C-alpha cells in the first residue's frame, strides 16, 4: 500500500472519529420547518458541489491526455477564470433581480455544456467549455449561498477514462435541475432595482463598509491561492521520471483532499464553540500560508509536500463555513449575490495573471504563500475592527 492509500485510510478514520465525537455535542433541531429547509438546501447544494468536485482531479490530466502543452493548459484555465471574472458581476445582478433559483438552474445548464465539450480533443471546443465553466462557477459560489441565507432568515475514471467523471457530473446536474424546480421557492435580492443601481449600491457598500471590504480582500487572496493550488498539484506530485502521469492515483489524492476539507469543517465547529471567527481565522490563514511554503523549500520530498497539502485543505475546510458565516453577518442581503461576484473579480484576475505568466512551480507556490500571508494580515485588521463588538443580526431583507 503506497503513501496515497495510507493517507486516504488515515484521513478516513480521522473523519469518522470526528463525526461521532462531534455528534454528541450537537443539539437536536426541534423546529421542523427549519429542518425541512436544511434538507431542501443540502439536497440541491450537494448535487451542485458533487458535480463540480467530480471533475476536480481530472481536468488537468484530461487536457494532457489530449496532447495539450503546459502553456495551452494554462491558457485554457486562464480563459475559464477570465470568463468568471467578466461575467460574475452581471450574473450576480441577474440573481438578485430575477431570482436565485432561476440562476441556479442556469448554472446547471452551463455546466452541462461545459462537461459535454470535454469529449472533444480540440482546443477551440475546450476553450468554449472553459468559458461556460467559468460562468457556472460564478453562480455556484454566490447564488446558492444567497438563496440559503435568504431562506433562513473518482473513482470511475480508472475504468472508463478521464472523461467519465464529466459524464457523471452531467447526471448530477440533471438531477439538480429537477430538485431545484421541485423543492426550492424563488427568492430575490432587490428585484425592483435596475442593473446599474444594483452595481452602484454593491460598490458603495464595499467602499463604505471596511468589514465588507476586508472580507472581499481576504476571500480574493485566499481563494486565488486555492485555485492555483487546484491547478498545480497534479504536475507537482507527478514524478518527473514518469511519461504517463496516470500512474498517480488522482481520484484517491483528490478524495484525500476532500477528507481533509471535512476534517476542517469539523474543526470549525469546535473552534466556533471557543473563539470568535474573526479571531481564529488569523491563525488558520497563517497555517495555510506555511503549508504552501513547503513545495518551495523542499519540493523534492513528495511526502512532506503531500502532508502540507492536506494541511492546506484542512484550512480550506475551516475557511468556507467561516466566511459564509461572516458574509451572513456583514453583507447586505439585497445585493448579496452582486457583492459576492464583485469579490470574485480580483480573485479571478490574480489567478489569470499567474497562469498566463507560466511561472515555475516554485515561483507559483511562493506567490500563493505571499497571497495567503497577506490574507492573514487583512484578517488581523478585520479582527481589530470587530473586537469587543457583538455581531449584528444577519441581513435578511429578502423578498
Amino acid at each position: 500500500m503506497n503513501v496515497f492509500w495510507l493517507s486516504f485510510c488515515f484521513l478516513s478514520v480521522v473523519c469518522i472519529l470526528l463525526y461521532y465525537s462531534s455528534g454528541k455535542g450537537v443539539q437536536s433541531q426541534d423546529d421542523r420547518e427549519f429542518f425541512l429547509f436544511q434538507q431542501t438546501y443540502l439536497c440541491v447544494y450537494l448535487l451542485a458541489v458533487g458535480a463540480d468536485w467530480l471533475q476536480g482531479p481530472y481536468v488537468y490530466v484530461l487536457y494532457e491526455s489530449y496532447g495539450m502543452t503546459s502553456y495551452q493548459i494554462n491558457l485554457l484555465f486562464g480563459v475559464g477564470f477570465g470568463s468568471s471574472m467578466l461575467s460574475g458581476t452581471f450574473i450576480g445582478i441577474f440573481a438578485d433581480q430575477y431570482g436565485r433559483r432561476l440562476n441556479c438552474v442556469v448554472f446547471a445548464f452551463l455546466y452541462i455544456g461545459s462537461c459535454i465539450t470535454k469529449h472533444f480533443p480540440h482546443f477551440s471546443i475546450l476553450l468554449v467549455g472553459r468559458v461556460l465553466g467559468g460562468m457556472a462557477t460564478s453562480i455556484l459560489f454566490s447564488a446558492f449561498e444567497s438563496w440559503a441565507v435568504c431562506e433562513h432568515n473518482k473513482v470511475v475514471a480508472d475504468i472508463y477514462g478521464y472523461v467519465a467523471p464529466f459524464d457523471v457530473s452531467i447526471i448530477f446536474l440533471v438531477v439538480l435541475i429537477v430538485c431545484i424546480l421541485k423543492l426550492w421557492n424563488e427568492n430575490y435580492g432587490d428585484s425592483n432595482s435596475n442593473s446599474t443601481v444594483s452595481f452602484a449600491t454593491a460598490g458603495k457598500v464595499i467602499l463604505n463598509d471596511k468589514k465588507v471590504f476586508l472580507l472581499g480582500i481576504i476571500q480574493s487572496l485566499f481563494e486565488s491561492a486555492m485555485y492555483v493550488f487546484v491547478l498545480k498539484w497534479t504536475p507537482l506530485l507527478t514524478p518527473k521520471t514518469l511519461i504517463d502521469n496516470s500512474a498517480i492515483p488522482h481520484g484517491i489524492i483528490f478524495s484525500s483532499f476532500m477528507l481533509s476539507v471535512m476534517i476542517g469543517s469539523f474543526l470549525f465547529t469546535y473552534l466556533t464553540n471557543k473563539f470568535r471567527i474573526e479571531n481564529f481565522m488569523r491563525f488558520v490563514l497563517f497555517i495555510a500560508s506555511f503549508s504552501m511554503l513547503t513545495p518551495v523549500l523542499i519540493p523534492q520530498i513528495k511526502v512532506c509536500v503531500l502532508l502540507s497539502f492536506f494541511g492546506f485543505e484542512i484550512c480550506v475546510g475551516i475557511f468556507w463555513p467561516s466566511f459564509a458565516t461572516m458574509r451572513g453577518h456583514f453583507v447586505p442581503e439585497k445585493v448579496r449575490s452582486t457583492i459576492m461576484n464583485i469579490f470574485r473579480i480580483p480573485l479571478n484576475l490574480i489567478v489569470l495573471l499567474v497562469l498566463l505568466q507560466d511561472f515555475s512551480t516554485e515561483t507559483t507556490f511562493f506567490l500563493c504563500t505571499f497571497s495567503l500571508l497577506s490574507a492573514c494580515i487583512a484578517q488581523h485588521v478585520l479582527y481589530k475592527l470587530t473586537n469587543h463588538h457583538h455581531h449584528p443580526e444577519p441581513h435578511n431583507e429578502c423578498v
Side-chain angles (χ1 to χ4, degrees):
M1 185 179 290
N2 60 32
V3 65
F4 301 117
W5 276 101
L6 284 172
S7 300
F8 175 78
C9 294
F10 175 76
L11 292 168
S12 298
V13 171
V14 173
C15 277
I16 293 171
L17 292 176
L18 286 173
Y19 174 77
Y20 281 106
S21 63
S22 64
K24 297 177 181 178
V26 177
Q27 297 179 350
S28 61
Q29 178 55 255
D30 296 326
D31 189 334
R32 176 172 173 77
E33 185 177 348
F34 179 74
F35 177 78
L36 290 175
F37 156 71
Q38 285 182 313
Q39 304 308 305
T40 300
Y41 174 69
L42 289 175
C43 174
V44 171
Y45 186 67
L46 290 177
L47 285 168
V49 174
D52 184 52
W53 287 2
L54 273 169
Q55 305 173 38
Y58 303 106
V59 180
Y60 191 99
V61 71
L62 175 69
Y63 291 156
E64 277 196 332
S65 72
Y66 285 159
M68 301 296 168
T69 65
S70 175
Y71 177 77
Q72 286 177 312
I73 294 173
N74 285 344
L75 185 58
L76 285 169
F77 281 120
V79 167
F81 286 103
S83 169
S84 182
M85 177 181 67
L86 294 175
S87 65
T89 303
F90 303 103
I91 286 174
I93 294 172
F94 177 88
D96 286 330
Q97 289 187 17
Y98 300 105
R100 281 77 178 264
R101 187 183 76 150
L102 175 60
N103 214 27
C104 293
V105 173
V106 171
F107 153 82
F109 280 109
L110 288 171
Y111 231 162
I112 287 173
S114 177
C115 291
I116 291 174
T117 64
K118 299 299 189 296
H119 285 268
F120 302 93
H122 303 289
F123 185 81
S124 57
I125 297 177
L126 294 173
L127 206 63
V128 173
R130 295 307 303 175
V131 172
L132 297 176
M135 296 170 66
T137 300
S138 291
I139 299 174
L140 176 60
F141 292 107
S142 59
F144 285 86
E145 181 181 316
S146 296
W147 184 91
V149 172
C150 187
E151 292 294 311
H152 182 289
N153 9 329
K154 172 194 194 204
V155 211
V156 292
D158 287 342
I159 303 173
Y160 299 107
Y162 295 131
V163 78
F166 300 92
D167 294 334
V168 178
S169 290
I170 293 176
I171 298 173
F172 274 52
L173 292 163
V174 171
V175 177
L176 167 71
I177 294 170
V178 175
C179 289
I180 290 176
L181 295 177
K182 286 188 172 294
L183 299 178
W184 282 18
N185 298 316
E186 188 61 276
N187 63 47
Y188 307 84
D190 188 355
S191 57
N192 296 319
S193 178
N194 61 46
S195 299
T196 303
V197 172
S198 294
F199 185 80
T201 302
K204 189 177 298 184
V205 170
I206 294 172
L207 293 176
N208 293 338
D209 192 325
K210 292 181 180 179
K211 296 185 291 294
V212 175
F213 178 78
L214 285 168
L215 278 177
I217 293 297
I218 299 165
Q219 178 180 328
S220 297
L221 291 171
F222 183 91
E223 293 194 7
S224 61
M226 180 185 72
Y227 283 120
V228 171
F229 161 76
V230 168
L231 304 179
K232 293 298 183 179
W233 70 262
T234 297
L236 184 62
L237 292 178
T238 302
K240 294 181 180 180
T241 55
L242 290 180
I243 297 176
D244 181 6
N245 65 17
S246 62
I248 298 296
H250 299 89
I252 293 300
I253 297 173
F254 193 78
S255 297
S256 298
F257 289 162
M258 295 302 99
L259 287 171
S260 300
V261 172
M262 288 176 62
I263 292 172
S265 66
F266 287 125
L267 292 177
F268 166 78
T269 302
Y270 285 111
L271 290 169
T272 50
N273 288 332
K274 298 180 179 295
F275 309 100
R276 289 175 51 228
I277 294 177
E278 293 84 359
N279 184 5
F280 70 71
M281 276 307 300
R282 297 178 298 168
F283 303 99
V284 171
L285 292 170
F286 180 78
I287 294 171
S289 65
F290 184 77
S291 299
M292 287 293 98
L293 194 59
T294 306
V296 179
L297 300 178
I298 48 175
Q300 70 279 6
I301 307 179
K302 301 299 183 182
V303 174
C304 292
V305 172
L306 183 64
L307 292 176
S308 70
F309 287 173
F310 293 153
F312 176 72
E313 291 287 8
I314 290 173
C315 294
V316 172
I318 302 173
F319 174 87
W320 279 341
S322 297
F323 268 69
T325 302
M326 287 191 287
R327 284 193 296 263
H329 286 299
F330 300 133
V331 178
E333 169 60 34
K334 64 181 181 180
V335 287
R336 185 181 303 275
S337 292
T338 303
I339 288 178
M340 290 175 65
N341 276 292
I342 289 177
F343 288 171
R344 296 186 62 81
I345 293 177
L347 183 167
N348 289 301
L349 184 60
I350 293 171
V351 178
L352 183 61
L353 291 175
V354 171
L355 289 176
L356 294 183
Q357 291 300 315
D358 199 21
F359 292 121
S360 67
T361 300
E362 288 76 12
T363 300
T364 298
F365 278 93
F366 176 79
L367 292 173
C368 289
T369 301
F370 179 77
S371 180
L372 291 166
L373 194 58
S374 300
C376 178
I377 295 171
Q379 181 66 46
H380 180 71
V381 176
L382 179 62
Y383 168 70
K384 290 296 185 181
L385 281 176
T386 59
N387 200 16
H388 307 305
H389 290 84
H390 294 294
H391 284 308
E393 288 299 315
H395 295 276
N396 57 1
E397 316 95 305
C398 54
V399 295

